[in-house]
Amino acid sequence: MGLTHTDAYVDSLLANLTEPQREAVQHTEGPLLVLAGAGSGKTRVITRRAAYIAATVARPWEVLAITFTNKAANEMRERIEALGGGQRDAADSPPRAGRTSSGMTVCTFHALCARILRMYHERLGLSRSFTVFDQADRRKVVKDAIVHCQLSTTNWAPARMEGAISRAKNAMQTPEIFASEASDWGERTIARIYATYEQILAEQQGVDFDDLLLKTAFLLGGDDIVRDQLERRYRYVLIDEYQDTNEAQYRIARLLTRERQNICATGDPDQSIYGWRGANIGNILKFEEDYPDARVVRLEQNYRSTKRILAGASAVIAHNRRRKQKGLWTENDEGAPIRVLEFEEAEDEARDVARRIAAHKAAGRQLSDIAVFYRINSLSRALEEALLQAGVPYQIARGTEFYNRKEIKDVLAYLRVMINPADETSLLRIINVPARGIGDTTVERLQKLASDSGRRVYDVIADASAVQTLGRSAMKLLAFAELLRSLEPLAQQAPMRALDQALSLSGLRAALTDSADEDARSNVDELINAASEYEQDNPESTLVDWLEHTSLLGDVDAVRAESGAVTLMTLHAAKGLEFPVVFIVALEEGILPLQHVDEPDGDIEEERRLFFVGMTRAERELTLSHVRYRMQRGITQRQTRSPFLAELPSRDIEWLDADDEYAAPHDDHDSQRRPEATRTQRPPRWCEGMLVRHPTFGLGRLVWVQPAGKHTRAGVHFTSGQHKTLILEFANLEPIDPREID
DNA sequence: ACGCCAGAAGTTTTT
DNA sequence: CTTCTGGCGT
């Protein structure tokens, strides 16, 4: 098995590894736990191990590697491919989503589950073409459920209900279990909403993100034949970021490896930061109990940070009780001390961070080497303003998402209805988009007609005699039915063609062309590109495949690292990344650690881990700051500095007063330093980074500039927080001298 | 269909 | 202080 590989290839997979790393790679049979400290070369071990298994004891398609994000999956897949080998084995099978060219499966938990559910849909009473409902769809269905229960959305806030339902699902509680455990009227009411929500989903053949996991866990747990088939299919299972698994994921992992126990869990309990989302750090902590024969490998050498940064981070995390003892060490330089700064208020803090970043840049540092982290998104505002003022380009890794844009959701809704006519959420979304004179009243009567006759809205619209009873709107509804019918055959087409046709036939394309919304147009163009790209990568794929792919795709993947810009993000978003220079702001009691009004003593250990994650992102320089007064929600409050600061070892810390003058950053880039030359030649009229003013949007900065036909297009970040794509020739922008602003 | 205003709500968010 | 939502008016 798999012995088509040369010894030289196998040797190459073991080359350049430390002893523990090699041990992890070579331990192929039986349970293995890899406790991988921050920056310890975990990905290298996982990818080598996967390739090693496929080269020695298994066929590539018997190897399954599960990650949490698409980004991680893609990265891992690429790195496994780069190791070479294995290609021959699969020359006969077509490339498929989530597979390496040799046929190894590398995907997220959710993608794996979607595939399994699709495979065994009959046993679950699901249609083969069920649709994955995203957050927005889920919100809509929750609202409908609340209304259905004759409750008000004011008393029963959809967001809260959503949270409650999601938590129940993460804990693998069905509505029945939830109801039986409800202790008071409030909980019993939530149970009713939950049950109704489930019913609506089922009627629409919809499956939400949590369901993907939950249904798979129940399927595997309740059906030995299925479990056995999958266990034979995936003989070697790798799970990354095991500390972040929730109950359902944990069950799936255990069930998939029940007989052979060829499970390799990698992760770091100190980096578990999603407890509030159902992740259970206990899963990784009790791995050795679950698998008494488990081999445990610790990767403790850090290749990322300086000695002092590592010492600081280690000292902080040592205060946690729920963890596995770990001694991180590094052969890297001693490095500069961790700086701690105190300011009067947020504006001072932000201004200083901006000033230090500008100094780094002047010293020759790439801005893409620098990141600023904060606990909550609202803290970015002050930073953005200060950076804008200082003329430092920045990029925010915010989840304001591509796939949540109205125009994108609209087109996708058409496609979803095409493949799943039961998807009423999507159907009602597009029934009057673009506007075709079907108003709310008509829609309501239509829904009533459907529920009275026990039919799907889709079928009622197509029923001429039923539609006739709706009076004046009948003609419009029939025209819409005709449109839907003309779209039906497209479901069999390849993704891009289906998308293109749907855009034309629906009238969306025409509406878009007429509209002034430049952004919407370019977003739809981007969607077409995405479909075309997907088709090229997965030639055999169907529309169903692509739709599933898009619904499981977060925007993390869409956030490309912009060179020439500082990165601003939350501590959560920082996980898995690294930057030479890192700032963490607002180290204050109540913010980091964050305190919530409802639960005064939240999980302090998780907050500490969050801080730990932030600190260990830094390679060379780490600067922490806090203020004495901070305004939040319009109220200025006296702030106390974070207790975490007191946990830092004093010999690795440099406490600085806000008023201290500081030297230019002392790093390796001094040689490239040059004075800010006064520019003599005339700069191009428009260039990236330039400050501009727009008559309505106000002050902003050009993020990118591109020729587009006879015109020039540019992306502009405005101080208001808006991001616009503008045609420079029409936009009436006025270039601004930075000095003008002060 | 769009815009305006009052009122509420306001961690983190891999999928 | 802000940002979003829902209801109402044009």
Side-chain angles (χ1 to χ4, degrees):
Chain A
M1 238 184 259
L3 296 180
T4 47
H5 299 280
T6 61
D7 290 350
Y9 172 63
V10 173
D11 284 349
S12 77
L13 294 176
L14 297 172
N16 301 321
L17 294 176
T18 62
E19 199 36 50
Q21 287 178 335
R22 185 182 322 229
E23 195 188 336
V25 170
Q26 286 188 292
H27 178 94
T28 59
E29 309 304 311
L32 170 69
L33 173 64
V34 180
L35 290 170
S40 65
K42 180 185 64 171
T43 310
R44 155 180 278 216
V45 170
I46 298 174
T47 51
R48 295 275 195 109
R49 187 170 184 281
Y52 182 83
I53 289 174
T56 57
V57 295
R59 305 282 184 166
W61 52 86
E62 294 173 322
V63 180
L64 167 65
I66 310 175
T67 63
F68 274 80
T69 65
N70 291 297
K71 194 170 160 225
N74 294 337
E75 217 170 275
M76 199 176 290
R77 212 176 299 122
E78 271 165 34
R79 285 183 61 171
I80 291 174
E81 303 254 4
L83 290 174
Q87 259 84 343
R88 275 158 299 179
D89 291 354
D92 45 352
S93 72
R96 287 195 52 187
R99 306 272 167 84
T100 63
S101 57
S102 62
M104 203 183 289
T105 304
V106 184
C107 65
T108 64
F109 257 111
H110 294 262
L112 173 73
C113 291
R115 187 174 304 168
I116 293 175
L117 294 185
R118 210 62 84 197
M119 218 186 293
Y120 296 102
H121 64 100
E122 283 156 344
R123 296 176 195 244
L124 295 149
L126 271 175
S127 138
R128 205 191 128 58
S129 51
F130 67 82
T131 343
V132 178
F133 277 34
D134 69 17
Q135 209 119 12
D137 305 322
R138 189 220 276 194
R139 173 67 53 94
K140 178 79 180 52
V141 176
V142 166
K143 277 185 188 164
D144 289 350
I146 295 169
V147 173
H148 224 270
C149 292
Q150 308 200 303
L151 299 162
S152 86
T153 48
T154 332
N155 297 334
W156 305 91
R160 280 188 189 283
M161 299 304 106
E162 226 180 291
I165 292 172
S166 181
R167 243 172 287 123
K169 288 190 175 184
N170 282 332
M172 297 198 56
Q173 290 182 323
T174 59
E176 296 77 44
I177 300 174
F178 190 90
S180 70
E181 287 180 11
S183 54
D184 57 18
W185 177 76
E187 281 182 24
R188 278 194 295 277
T189 309
I190 297 177
R192 257 174 67 215
I193 296 172
Y194 179 15
T196 312
Y197 170 84
E198 287 295 283
Q199 196 192 327
I200 300 177
L201 271 190
E203 280 165 11
Q204 303 196 13
Q205 296 293 336
V207 166
D208 68 21
F209 285 139
D210 299 322
D211 282 340
L212 289 170
L213 305 173
L214 187 75
K215 286 186 190 298
T216 305
F218 278 131
L219 175 69
L220 291 173
D223 193 327
D224 276 343
I225 297 171
V226 173
R227 206 208 73 248
D228 191 57
Q229 280 175 0
L230 287 168
E231 197 170 349
R232 280 169 201 277
R233 170 75 169 75
Y234 300 118
R235 293 178 51 225
Y236 293 85
V237 179
L238 265 113
I239 300 164
D240 194 20
E241 308 280 18
Y242 196 74
Q243 78 280 356
D244 287 333
T245 48
N246 64 23
E247 188 57 31
Q249 288 160 330
Y250 168 76
R251 292 271 280 272
I252 293 167
R254 296 215 60 183
L255 287 163
L256 274 178
T257 57
R258 206 167 78 182
E259 295 304 323
R260 287 170 232 266
Q261 305 225 328
N262 283 334
I263 180 173
C264 167
T266 64
D268 180 1
D270 291 338
Q271 294 185 62
S272 165
I273 54 174
Y274 286 101
W276 52 276
R277 240 179 148 251
N280 182 4
I281 188 175
N283 292 344
I284 194 169
L285 295 177
K286 67 172 190 220
F287 189 87
E288 290 160 88
E289 283 168 47
D290 289 342
Y291 301 94
D293 298 333
R295 173 82 68 90
V296 180
V297 174
R298 288 164 194 272
L299 303 180
E300 301 184 311
Q301 182 176 1
N302 171 295
Y303 301 96
R304 181 185 295 152
S305 310
T306 63
K307 286 199 174 69
R308 301 180 92 163
I309 289 171
L310 207 58
S314 300
V316 168
I317 203 65
H319 285 77
N320 272 7
R321 301 181 60 95
R322 279 196 92 190
R323 64 186 297 252
K324 283 184 182 278
Q325 194 53 47
K326 198 165 358 84
L328 280 177
W329 59 279
T330 183
E331 284 176 356
N332 292 345
D333 298 347
E334 184 77 10
I338 299 169
R339 272 187 298 257
V340 181
L341 309 166
E342 178 174 350
F343 300 95
E344 185 66 16
E345 53 182 19
E347 286 65 33
D348 304 316
E349 180 185 48
R351 213 177 307 122
D352 191 75
V353 168
R355 200 160 59 156
R356 283 170 191 273
I357 292 173
H360 271 293
K361 188 183 175 203
R365 180 63 89 185
Q366 291 290 321
L367 287 180
S368 54
D369 282 353
I370 306 173
V372 188
F373 304 150
Y374 34 81
R375 177 63 234 262
I376 47 180
N377 279 314
S378 60
L379 296 174
S380 73
R381 170 172 288 266
L383 291 163
E384 288 182 68
E385 276 166 15
L387 288 169
L388 202 59
Q389 291 243 325
V392 178
Y394 64 88
Q395 176 207 16
I396 293 197
R398 198 194 281 118
T400 167
E401 314 90 7
F402 180 73
Y403 287 98
N404 269 349
R405 304 293 272 273
K406 183 184 173 301
E407 61 275 13
I408 300 298
K409 293 220 72 172
D410 289 342
V411 204
L412 291 179
Y414 271 94
L415 302 182
R416 284 167 57 162
V417 172
M418 277 157 52
I419 61 170
N420 177 12
D423 184 346
E424 204 177 294
T425 306
S426 297
L427 178 63
L428 295 181
R429 179 185 180 93
I430 52 169
I431 195 165
N432 200 30
V433 176
R436 44 176 75 91
I438 301 174
D440 293 346
T441 331
T442 308
V443 171
E444 248 167 62
R445 290 165 65 189
L446 185 62
Q447 277 182 281
K448 180 150 191 327
L449 209 56
S451 67
D452 286 351
S453 60
R455 288 185 295 173
R456 301 186 301 201
V457 172
Y458 189 97
D459 300 322
V460 174
I461 299 176
D463 178 351
S465 60
V467 167
Q468 290 307 332
T469 67
L470 293 175
R472 272 179 305 158
S473 315
M475 288 308 289
K476 292 164 184 166
L477 280 172
L478 287 174
F480 182 60
E482 185 54 44
L483 166 62
L484 291 182
R485 203 167 316 130
S486 71
L487 290 172
E488 259 168 30
L490 293 176
Q492 312 310 320
Q493 303 279 342
M496 184 152 101
R497 181 165 160 73
L499 174 62
D500 185 68
Q501 289 288 305
L503 276 167
S504 298
L505 294 174
S506 66
L508 275 178
R509 175 166 280 139
L512 226 44
T513 314
D514 292 345
S515 101
D517 195 343
E518 172 79 14
D519 257 10
R521 240 168 299 154
S522 68
N523 283 334
V524 170
D525 285 345
E526 229 178 284
L527 186 69
I528 297 174
N529 288 340
S532 138
E533 225 168 89
Y534 181 83
E535 230 172 279
Q536 271 166 24
D537 293 347
N538 312 281
E540 308 273 300
S541 60
T542 63
L543 181 61
V544 177
D545 294 331
W546 182 64
L547 263 187
E548 181 168 297
H549 173 79
T550 57
S551 32
L552 295 179
L553 203 69
D555 284 301
V556 197
D557 321 78
V559 177
R560 327 172 180 79
E562 257 177 82
S563 61
V566 184
T567 306
L568 267 51
M569 62 177 119
T570 63
L571 286 161
H572 282 92
K575 195 169 98 170
L577 305 176
E578 56 185 14
F579 297 89
V581 178
V582 167
F583 295 84
I584 306 178
V585 300
L587 272 140
E588 293 140 36
E589 185 99 60
I591 294 184
L592 184 61
L594 187 72
Q595 239 161 18
H596 196 46
V597 217
D598 300 350
E599 32 184 336
D601 31 60
D603 190 346
I604 185 88
E605 298 212 343
E606 181 152 315
E607 295 294 317
R608 193 178 276 112
R609 291 193 291 269
L610 202 44
F611 182 38
F612 173 80
V613 165
M615 292 183 80
T616 52
R617 300 307 98 196
E619 294 169 7
R620 314 271 331 151
E621 270 188 56
L622 178 60
T623 306
L624 313 173
S625 58
H626 62 102
V627 303
R628 286 188 285 273
Y629 295 91
R630 186 175 297 275
M631 184 163 80
Q632 280 183 300
R633 300 196 201 164
I635 302 158
T636 302
Q637 267 196 314
R638 172 82 231 213
Q639 297 293 94
T640 323
R641 70 167 180 246
S642 168
F644 296 156
L645 289 175
E647 296 169 1
L648 292 163
S650 53
R651 61 189 175 82
D652 294 309
I653 301 301
E654 184 182 12
W655 298 86
L656 292 175
D657 225 26
D659 312 316
D660 282 358
E661 272 310 306
Y662 53 84
H666 44 309
D667 62 18
D668 5 302
H669 288 71
D670 273 14
S671 52
Q672 296 173 32
R673 199 160 160 195
R674 60 195 117 76
E676 282 287 307
T678 29
R679 224 180 292 192
T680 43
Q681 84 256 50
R682 207 166 139 260
R685 178 146 168 76
W686 302 108
C687 59
E688 275 177 34
M690 187 177 260
L691 282 176
V692 294
R693 196 192 314 277
H694 185 277
T696 38
F697 303 128
L699 207 58
R701 176 176 298 284
L702 300 189
V703 193
W704 52 267
V705 180
Q706 258 175 10
K710 330 179 242 227
H711 305 298
T712 315
R713 293 207 302 162
V716 193
H717 274 305
F718 288 99
T719 337
S720 57
Q722 297 178 95
H723 184 119
K724 298 277 173 203
T725 302
L726 303 168
I727 303 259
L728 290 174
E729 282 79 1
F730 307 138
N732 217 354
L733 283 179
E734 169 197 359
I736 295 189
D737 188 322
R739 277 165 300 190
E740 215 180 283
I741 299 172
D742 285 336

